[in-house]
Amino acid sequence: MGIINSEIKPFNATAFKNGEFVEISEADVKGKWAVFFFYPADFTFVCPTELGDVADKYEELQKLGVEVFSVSTDTHFTHKAWHSSSETIGKINYYMVGDQTGTITNNFGVMREGQGLADRATFLIDPDGVIQAMEITAEGIGRDADDLMRKVKAAQYVRKNPGEVCPAKWKEGEETLTPSLDLVGKI
């Protein structure tokens, strides 16, 4: 997929957030860091565990200047009903985007052919609206919000420190690398 380093495409959608329905578009993403967290469907099994895990990290993500947009092809009405009926989903304070037309899901290339459902996929968007990271897993493999946090911090570090890169398993405060001819073959 040639989606890394590409700009997000235009969209308009209705989301459920903080007890209200709100209209959003790609303009709401620009100027801040954003996570688009796609999942197959409301009222399912792995999905609520993932959404709850991200909800537990939402305050920390907000402190890093990151907004979260969870997206499924369910309607915003279904999101509200799920939010009202599930203790796990009820703790969500981020956007729950209804993408029943599939526009956003197709824009990110994660629509399951012939099913009308999104793949389990995460995208990290920088303040310029450019995709910096992505993760897609199979149906039965849930994602980990701790790893998402690590990727957000690494992407923010690299943006603030041109010429430096974050090696595998890098955590905030650890040593980074400065690619150069001197490092070739020495790592």
Side-chain angles (χ1 to χ4, degrees), residues 71-131:
V71 184
S72 77
T73 54
D74 296 292
T75 68
H76 54 286
F77 297 112
T78 305
H79 293 330
K80 185 208 179 296
W82 196 23
H83 193 275
S84 298
S85 65
S86 165
E87 186 176 317
T88 300
I89 301 305
K91 65 184 178 181
I92 292 174
N93 292 317
Y94 51 78
Y95 292 91
M96 298 181 74
V97 183
D99 187 31
Q100 64 271 20
T101 66
T103 301
I104 305 167
T105 307
N106 281 310
N107 282 354
F108 282 87
V110 294
M111 180 68 81
R112 292 182 184 173
E113 188 74 32
Q115 293 184 29
L117 301 173
D119 279 325
R120 202 173 295 292
T122 308
F123 295 85
L124 175 59
I125 318 298
D126 73 17
D128 298 320
V130 176
I131 299 168

Side-chain angles (χ1 to χ4, degrees), residues 126-172:
D126 73 17
D128 298 320
V130 176
I131 299 168
Q132 294 299 314
M134 65 181 271
E135 175 184 23
I136 302 174
T137 66
E139 176 64 27
I141 303 171
R143 293 160 285 177
D144 184 338
D146 286 330
D147 194 47
L148 173 60
M149 293 297 301
R150 185 190 66 78
K151 290 174 187 172
V152 166
K153 290 175 183 180
Q156 290 180 340
Y157 182 90
V158 168
R159 183 176 172 99
K160 289 178 190 169
N161 298 279
E164 292 184 47
V165 295
C166 298
K169 297 184 180 183
W170 178 88
K171 299 236 181 351
E172 188 175 30

Side-chain angles (χ1 to χ4, degrees), residues 171-182:
K171 299 236 181 351
E172 188 175 30
E174 293 181 350
E175 199 170 314
T176 60
L177 300 172
T178 303
S180 70
L181 190 57
D182 295 338

Side-chain angles (χ1 to χ4, degrees), residues 8-91:
I8 63 168
K9 296 177 182 175
F11 71 88
N12 290 292
T14 304
F16 178 72
K17 185 175 189 325
N18 295 328
E20 297 181 354
F21 294 132
V22 294
E23 298 301 314
I24 61 166
S25 73
E26 76 283 354
D28 295 301
V29 177
K30 300 248 176 123
K32 66 185 98 166
W33 288 88
V35 168
F36 276 73
F37 198 83
F38 290 88
Y39 64 98
D42 290 2
F43 295 99
T44 56
F45 313 102
V46 175
C47 299
T49 66
E50 295 180 307
L51 293 167
D53 191 31
V54 172
D56 292 341
K57 297 290 183 186
Y58 185 59
E59 187 176 324
E60 190 176 344
L61 285 162
Q62 290 278 275
K63 288 177 184 172
L64 293 171
V66 180
E67 187 52 75
V68 176
F69 299 86
S70 65
V71 184
S72 77
T73 54
D74 296 292
T75 68
H76 54 286
F77 297 112
T78 305
H79 293 330
K80 185 208 179 296
W82 196 23
H83 193 275
S84 298
S85 65
S86 165
E87 186 176 317
T88 300
I89 301 305
K91 65 184 178 181

